[in-house]
């Protein structure tokens, strides 16, 4: 028997890339690869890239440059670029970095094993098509290996929203939902392999509209079906768009016990003028009303969000409206970014805000978001929460897991194992985590 070949995958960007990397590793497993944690002993290096902000492509080129010595020492080493930079740059990557053997866009991963075989024969392979077939269906199914307690499951991909700043509709293509039966079968399989918490993924996950025997299924209906799976204890989903939060999905937050009280609902800005220029198709007020309705259904829900500061033509007055919206919502967790010009998107052509103003606004926004995060976390002290334990903590006898609200919680507990779901009383709030005692 020949020794297995080694695959090193480095993943950038969003959770969908994490999920895709797992699926690619499994597909290449069928071609004789096992994963390794270091590029040094790899037979194949795959960079799964992100294009969301500037310099992402440059980062990929410089990362590739670092592999040149490895390639010189081992000419058989294959180097591949996958993900959103592969989609956006395509052939340019092969031109600029001749040592790259294959370039594969996110919708063509099912063709990866063929491409790997081609590269093995010394032929460069490039695929950035948007084929009709369901790549996940065609990717070799997951082997029956044991899994950790949490897993991602992509249910929807692509985006038709075309926010004026964003590359995703171009790199991932238009919205496609996987059929409900395949999602349910994959969920069942994951649960049989030890998974107790699933996070459903999609660029616009709440726009999910998968085919099912009884007509099209919404995300809310899919969640209600998933909740019937014995052994699956927790369901989460990300990322949602405010315009796709329908009544049934809001109601599900109050009705489905397994649906966790955490919602990532990006708004990007608190200024209607900026929201309009961003092509978000909602207002600050409609977003605030939506949050009110969600909190009415599930009062303890933790809201998380994304913000962009310094979008073209954003004034100090626009920015103060963003700060006011943040004050009104009280976020438990947030990501905030300086606007970054993406070639080919409408906003790239507009008057840019100067860098110093962007820096200043980002600092002020992040200070406020940080205060809110700490306040929300501190208020957990004394409360009883569910914790799904994932791994040992830094200190002996300690285990760490995630609370219902997605806070990291450290607990001293004899006999706890990964996968245990227990009630915990929160006793202390630290900088980025909570501590508690088992009940
Ligand atoms: N589909 C999701 C998120 C997509 S990208 C949604 O609609 O919310 C994740 C985040 O990156 C976005 O929410 C946005 O805040 C940020 N982002 C996207 N494009 C950006 C750009 N050009 N510059 C800065 N931030 C950007
Ligand atoms: Fe990008 Fe907007 Fe689509 Fe989100 S909804 S992926 S921000 S275009
Ligand atoms: Fe990045 Fe592509 Fe995800 S651009 S954020 S990896 S969809």
């Amino acid at each position: 028997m020949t020794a297995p070949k080694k695959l090193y995958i480095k993943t950038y960007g969003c959770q969908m890339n994490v999920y895709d990397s797992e699926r690619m590793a499994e597909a290449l497993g069928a071609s004789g690869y096992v994963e390794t944690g270091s590029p040094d002993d790899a037979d194949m290096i795959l960079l799964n890239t992100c294009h969301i902000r500037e310099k992402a492509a440059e980062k990929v080129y410089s990362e590739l440059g670092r592999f040149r010595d490895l390639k010189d020492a081992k000419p058989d080493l294959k180097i591949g670029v996958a993900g959103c930079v592969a989609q956006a740059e395509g052939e340019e990557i092969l031109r600029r970095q001749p040592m790259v053997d294959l370039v594969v866009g996110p919708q063509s991963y099912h063709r990866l094993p063929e491409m790997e075989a081609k590269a093995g024969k010394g032929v460069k392979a490039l695929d950035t098509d948007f084929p009709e077939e369901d790549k996940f269906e065609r990717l070799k199914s997951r082997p029956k290996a044991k899994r950790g307690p949490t897993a991602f499951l992509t249910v929807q991909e692509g985006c038709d929203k075309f926010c004026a700043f964003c590359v995703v509709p171009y790199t991932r293509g238009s919205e496609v939902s996987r059929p409900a039966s395949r999602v349910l079968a994959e969920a069942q399989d994951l649960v049989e392999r030890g998974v107790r918490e699933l996070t459903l993924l999609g660029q616009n996950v709440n726009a999910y509209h998968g085919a099912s025997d009884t007509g099209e299924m919404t995300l809310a209906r899919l969640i209600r079906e998933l909740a019937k799976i014995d052994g699956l204890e927790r369901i989460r989903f990300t990322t949602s768009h405010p315009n796709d939060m329908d009544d049934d999905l809001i109601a599900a937050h109050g009705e489905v016990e397994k649906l966790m009280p955490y919602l990532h609902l990006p708004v990007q800005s608190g200024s209607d003028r900026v929201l309009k220029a961003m092509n978000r198709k909602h207002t600050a007020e409609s977003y605030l009303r939506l949050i009110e309705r969600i909190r009415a259904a599930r009062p303890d829900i933790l809201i998380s969000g994304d913000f962009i500061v310094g979008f073209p033509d954003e004034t100090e007055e626009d920015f103060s409206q963003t700060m006011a919206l943040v004050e009104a919502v009280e976020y438990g967790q947030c990501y905030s970014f300086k606007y970054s010009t993406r070639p080919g998107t409408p906003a790239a052509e507009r008057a840019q805000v100067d860098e110093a103003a962007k820096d200043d606004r980002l600092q002020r926004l992040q200070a406020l978001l940080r205060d809110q995060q700490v306040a929300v976390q501190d208020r957990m002290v004394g409360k009883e929460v569910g914790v799904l334990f994932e791994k040992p903590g830094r200190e002996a006898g300690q285990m760490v897991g995630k609370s219902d609200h997605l806070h990291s919680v450290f607990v001293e507990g004899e006999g706890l194992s990964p996968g245990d779901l227990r009630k915990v009383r929160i006793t202390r709030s630290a900088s980025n985590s909570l501590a508690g005692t088992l009940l």
Side-chain angles (χ1 to χ4, degrees), residues 6-132:
K6 291 192 177 154
L7 169 69
Y8 172 72
I9 301 195
K10 184 159 179 181
T11 306
Y12 304 81
C14 61
Q15 290 113 323
M16 301 192 75
N17 267 10
V18 175
Y19 176 82
D20 288 346
S21 289
E22 284 170 18
R23 299 296 307 262
M24 286 192 277
E26 285 170 0
L28 287 169
S31 310
Y33 283 92
V34 294
E35 266 193 273
T36 169
S38 148
D40 299 338
D41 63 344
D43 298 286
M44 176 159 176
I45 294 174
L46 199 54
L47 298 183
N48 192 7
T49 61
C50 172
H51 201 50
I52 202 79
R53 278 169 288 276
E54 222 171 339
K55 301 205 180 87
E58 288 314 311
K59 231 191 283 169
V60 172
Y61 287 115
S62 72
E63 183 79 39
L64 286 170
R66 262 179 265 162
F67 298 140
R68 178 159 299 130
D69 289 348
L70 289 175
K71 182 95 173 179
D72 287 344
K74 192 199 250 180
D76 280 351
L77 170 65
K78 290 187 208 75
I79 297 183
V81 180
C84 292
V85 176
Q87 188 64 44
E89 293 274 294
E91 236 177 329
E92 179 65 15
I93 298 177
L94 295 176
R95 245 192 314 273
R96 277 186 60 181
Q97 284 287 1
M99 67 173 177
V100 171
D101 301 284
L102 67 91
V103 174
V104 59
Q107 301 315 332
S108 303
Y109 293 155
H110 52 299
R111 297 180 179 159
L112 189 59
E114 267 167 59
M115 294 173 75
E116 186 272 342
K118 197 169 155 190
K121 293 186 191 121
V123 183
K124 302 255 180 219
L126 170 78
D127 196 330
T128 51
D129 291 348
F130 287 106
E132 286 290 308

Side-chain angles (χ1 to χ4, degrees), residues 125-182:
L126 170 78
D127 196 330
T128 51
D129 291 348
F130 287 106
E132 286 290 308
E133 65 258 31
D134 176 355
K135 68 173 173 191
F136 293 123
E137 186 58 12
R138 281 161 186 264
L139 265 179
K140 191 99 179 131
S141 68
R142 294 163 180 260
K144 286 277 171 203
K146 181 114 180 75
R147 297 273 311 221
T150 65
F152 293 135
L153 204 181
T154 294
V155 302
Q156 179 278 341
E157 264 204 280
C159 180
D160 296 337
K161 299 266 190 296
F162 291 91
C163 298
F165 49 82
C166 184
V167 291
V168 170
Y170 310 96
T171 62
R172 292 272 169 172
S174 52
E175 270 179 19
V176 180
S177 297
R178 297 177 68 193
S181 58
R182 288 187 199 151

Side-chain angles (χ1 to χ4, degrees), residues 52-53 162-167 267-281 306-319 322 336-342 345-355 357-359 361-362 365:
I52 202 79
R53 278 169 288 276
F162 291 91
C163 298
F165 49 82
C166 184
V167 291
V267 64
Q268 315 296 355
S269 168
S271 152
D272 288 344
R273 208 178 68 83
V274 172
L275 288 169
K276 193 160 194 304
M278 285 177 164
N279 192 32
R280 289 289 295 184
K281 300 197 172 82
D306 291 344
F307 288 89
I308 295 177
V309 300
F311 184 76
D313 201 27
E314 182 191 69
T315 62
E316 190 52 36
E317 170 56 25
D318 293 317
F319 176 70
T322 297
S336 47
F337 315 96
K338 287 191 282 182
Y339 168 71
S340 172
T341 317
R342 311 310 294 122
T345 60
E349 312 299 325
R350 302 181 192 161
Q352 303 295 314
V353 170
D354 81 54
E355 207 51 34
K358 282 190 198 172
D359 279 328
R361 287 175 200 167
L362 187 67
L365 176 61

Side-chain angles (χ1 to χ4, degrees), residues 30 45 69 87 91 131 147 187 214 232 256 259 289 389 398 405 417:
I45 294 174
D69 289 348
Q87 188 64 44
E91 236 177 329
R147 297 273 311 221
T214 53
L232 178 62
V256 180
L259 184 59
R289 294 291 82 80
F389 289 96
Q398 212 179 39
H405 302 87
S417 313

Side-chain angles (χ1 to χ4, degrees), residues 265-422:
L265 195 64
V267 64
Q268 315 296 355
S269 168
S271 152
D272 288 344
R273 208 178 68 83
V274 172
L275 288 169
K276 193 160 194 304
M278 285 177 164
N279 192 32
R280 289 289 295 184
K281 300 197 172 82
H282 57 76
T283 62
E285 185 60 24
S286 69
Y287 179 82
L288 290 172
R289 294 291 82 80
L290 178 59
I291 298 285
E292 265 172 23
R293 287 167 57 217
I294 296 163
R295 284 189 167 141
R298 181 77 204 232
D300 70 332
I301 199 162
L302 188 150
I303 303 291
S304 124
D306 291 344
F307 288 89
I308 295 177
V309 300
F311 184 76
D313 201 27
E314 182 191 69
T315 62
E316 190 52 36
E317 170 56 25
D318 293 317
F319 176 70
S320 70
Q321 290 171 8
T322 297
M323 295 290 270
L325 178 138
V326 172
E327 298 271 10
V329 173
E330 261 225 298
Y331 288 94
Q333 158 83 46
C334 264
Y335 303 91
S336 47
F337 315 96
K338 287 191 282 182
Y339 168 71
S340 172
T341 317
R342 311 310 294 122
T345 60
E349 312 299 325
R350 302 181 192 161
Q352 303 295 314
V353 170
D354 81 54
E355 207 51 34
K358 282 190 198 172
D359 279 328
D360 175 58
R361 287 175 200 167
L362 187 67
Q363 270 187 26
R364 283 185 280 156
L365 176 61
Q366 289 188 337
L368 174 60
L369 291 170
R370 175 81 211 157
D371 286 350
Q372 292 196 341
Q373 184 183 326
V374 170
V376 168
Q377 207 186 278
D378 287 353
R379 278 208 300 272
M380 298 308 297
V381 175
K383 295 221 163 79
E384 204 181 285
V385 295
V387 175
L388 177 61
F389 289 96
E390 293 177 20
K391 55 182 190 237
R394 281 180 296 272
E395 284 157 38
Q398 212 179 39
M399 283 288 285
V400 58
K402 290 278 168 40
S403 74
D404 303 335
H405 302 87
L406 213 54
H407 288 120
S408 288
V409 182
F410 288 81
V411 169
E412 313 290 332
E414 287 302 308
L416 276 176
S417 313
D420 288 350
L421 179 61
R422 300 283 298 270

